Amino acid sequence: MLDGKSAPRTEPSSWTVAVRNRLQRGLPLKHLLPDRQPVFVGSWVYIFGVAAIAGLIWVVLSGCILAFFGPQWWHQSGVGRFVNSLHLWSVQVFFVFMVLHLWGQYFMASWRDGRAKTWMIGVVIFAFSIGTAFTGFISQQNFDGQWIAVNAKDATNAAGVGSFFNVLNFGQMYGLHIALLPMLVASLIGVHVLLVRMKGVVRPIGKKKTAEPSHQEAAS
């Protein structure tokens, strides 16, 4: 018999409940979609990462168009050459701001306060981006691409990876450039941004940590 008081409701124990509770603890909506940021985020050093992502968006959009129409189009058509140039310069913008972001966060010691994973993933993104750009230059299907591939062949053979990473194989290089490596870079960037949302942006060295730095200051 019950004494008239209802028993406390308990949530069912399942992996979905465990994942939901973990997400609610680690990434509340106020961190995922913040409406306020610390005033120090207004510094230009915090803009480089966003600018790199903006460049990456243009890289992906122009790259999808190039992959759809193929090498003959981007070499012989005026529109194709324009899109090809847009793709190239978007890559330059992406790398310039990514390097600025990397060095800026290095000198700010961005691995502080439990952000080591965020920092290490950023370094891995940089490494995979170099591989993506390298396979892209080889996939140009012009004299520059052939020259880079022939010279890189000796380097890969000397490193002992030429047996499975054949830079003279256009199909392999093109597949790596438009499929595998971009998916890895995009996925890692997603994880990187998610960790930034969970941990918040790193504060300048010497600035005292507040209880909720993302909500104590006025919106930037």
Side-chain angles (χ1 to χ4, degrees):
M1 295 294 292
L2 297 176
D3 58 357
K5 297 181 179 180
S6 58
R9 182 181 178 182
T10 59
E11 292 185 342
S13 57
S14 64
W15 69 269
T16 55
V17 174
V19 171
R20 183 184 65 199
N21 293 337
R22 179 66 181 272
L23 290 175
Q24 288 176 346
R25 291 194 303 269
L27 189 61
L29 286 177
K30 64 181 180 180
H31 290 168
L32 181 62
L33 298 173
D35 59 343
R36 293 176 179 271
Q37 292 288 358
V39 292
F40 57 75
V41 178
S43 173
W44 277 101
V45 74
Y46 292 95
I47 306 299
F48 296 144
V50 177
I53 293 177
L56 180 63
I57 292 173
W58 280 104
V59 170
V60 173
L61 291 177
S62 58
C64 289
I65 297 174
L66 293 173
F68 182 80
F69 287 100
Q72 185 174 0
W73 177 74
W74 74 59
H75 283 308
Q76 298 183 3
S77 167
V79 177
R81 288 193 293 268
F82 171 77
V83 177
N84 191 29
S85 299
L86 181 63
H87 186 68
L88 172 65
W89 287 106
S90 299
V91 172
Q92 310 307 313
V93 170
F94 171 65
F95 268 93
V96 165
F97 284 107
M98 181 168 55
V99 170
L100 290 174
H101 178 64
L102 180 67
W103 280 109
Q105 299 306 310
Y106 173 80
F107 286 111
M108 291 177 63
S110 296
W111 50 83
R112 291 174 291 136
D113 302 326
R115 295 180 176 88
K117 291 181 180 179
T118 309
W119 164 258
M120 289 186 290
I121 290 176
V123 174
V124 173
I125 291 171
F126 180 68
F128 276 122
S129 298
I130 293 175
T132 307
F134 172 69
T135 54
F137 278 113
I138 293 177
S139 301
Q140 294 180 94
Q141 288 295 282
N142 56 10
F143 181 77
D144 287 343
Q146 295 174 18
W147 178 259
I148 295 170
V150 170
N151 284 272
K153 170 182 65 67
D154 296 331
T156 55
N157 289 338
V161 298
S163 58
F164 60 89
F165 187 74
N166 185 3
V167 294
L168 297 179
N169 186 332
F170 170 73
Q172 185 187 56
M173 295 298 103
Y174 193 58
L176 289 173
H177 180 68
I178 68 173
L180 180 61
L181 292 176
M183 287 191 294
L184 286 174
V185 171
S187 300
L188 289 173
I189 288 177
V191 175
H192 185 74
V193 173
L194 185 64
L195 289 175
V196 171
R197 289 299 189 185
M198 293 175 65
K199 297 293 184 178
V201 294
V202 66
R203 52 193 167 81
I205 296 175
K207 184 176 178 60
K208 294 182 179 180
K209 186 177 181 180
T210 55
E212 285 192 53
S214 296
H215 299 273
Q216 294 291 328
E217 315 267 2
S220 59

